[in-house]
Amino acid sequence: MTSDYVMEFEMPYAPTHKPKTRIRIVNAASALFKKHGFENVTIDQVMAAAGLTRGGFYAHFKNKEALFVACVENGMSLLSSPVLAKLRKAELSGSDWVTSFAELYLSRVHIDNPELGCALPTLSSEVSRSGDQARSAFSKLIDQASGKLAWKLAKEDGVPGMDKPVPVDGESVLPDVPDGYRTEATSMLAMLVGAVVLSRAVDDETADDILTSTRKTILQSRDRLCAKAGQKTA
């Protein structure tokens, strides 16, 4: 009986065990990074959230910075599922996408619940103090976010050829957007993230003023650009 027990105990894990464990760690880390930031999250906290012990961490990652890179490379979701669902519902109902997005992003709900919101406001200031590997991964995240936002803006404006992303070598590739949309998207992203960062650092009255002012500025900017585009095509 003893030998049977030893044999069972020493049997190796199934080949799928390590990949599944790595995904658990990445998912747990992504949620914690979004809520608390990069610097304020420890390896112990990540492993506890994943239901694992600290000792197993180093079988998957060299350090916390490598874990952050993995979170980005595995597609760290910038927006929570409820927010994405609301945006999708707004699109299906024919509502203006930018208005819906600005209202959801620049809201008290987003300010008060960072773990359910976008990762960029929480991570921006802290990653800037991290190593080159984390900064490079975060730069990639910003680039991806700007690219997707530019595509959404072009699609909303009815630009031809803005169909759904197409799979290329296992990755979704967005259509090329016309000149100007990337600049607009990068500027809008900076305003959105900056407004959330500031709003979380001040009292409620000041935060509400920041959120309202930024929403108005974004929508006014969109109106001006749409009017200019209409003049060019007239």
Side-chain angles (χ1 to χ4, degrees), residues 18-196:
K18 188 168 183 177
K20 287 181 178 178
T21 301
R22 179 186 174 90
I23 291 171
R24 283 173 62 185
I25 297 171
V26 168
N27 289 341
S30 294
L32 289 172
F33 286 152
K34 287 173 67 175
K35 183 175 182 178
H36 302 293
F38 177 74
E39 293 293 335
N40 295 323
V41 173
T42 67
I43 292 174
D44 285 338
Q45 289 173 323
V46 171
M47 297 304 281
L52 301 164
T53 60
R54 179 188 175 93
F57 177 85
Y58 297 100
H60 303 274
F61 306 100
K62 181 180 179 181
N63 50 37
K64 190 174 76 170
E65 190 172 354
L67 171 59
F68 176 74
V69 173
C71 289
V72 174
E73 290 178 344
N74 280 269
M76 179 186 284
S77 176
L78 294 182
L79 296 175
S80 65
S81 295
V83 172
L84 292 173
K86 289 179 180 179
L87 284 173
R88 181 61 178 159
K89 185 177 180 180
E91 284 186 284
L92 293 174
S93 66
S95 301
D96 176 68
W97 186 87
V98 173
T99 300
S100 300
F101 181 56
E103 288 176 348
L104 287 167
Y105 198 98
L106 300 170
S107 67
R108 292 297 319 178
V109 173
H110 190 193
I111 300 304
D112 297 336
N113 299 276
E115 73 278 12
L116 301 177
C118 178
L120 300 183
T122 309
L123 296 173
S124 296
S125 60
E126 297 188 355
V127 174
S128 67
R129 299 191 294 271
S130 302
D132 291 340
Q133 194 178 18
R135 288 165 67 94
S136 177
F138 195 65
S139 297
K140 180 180 179 181
L141 195 63
I142 294 288
D143 183 67
Q144 291 172 343
S146 295
K148 190 159 190 178
L149 181 55
W151 168 65
K152 292 294 291 185
L153 296 177
K155 187 178 180 182
E156 184 171 80
D157 286 353
V159 174
M162 295 295 109
D163 297 323
K164 291 183 178 180
V166 295
V168 177
D169 296 331
E171 295 185 5
S172 293
V173 177
L174 295 171
D176 291 331
V177 299
D179 293 340
Y181 281 101
R182 185 61 182 240
T183 299
E184 181 187 356
T186 301
S187 176
M188 185 183 294
L189 185 65
M191 282 192 285
L192 290 165
V193 173
V196 172

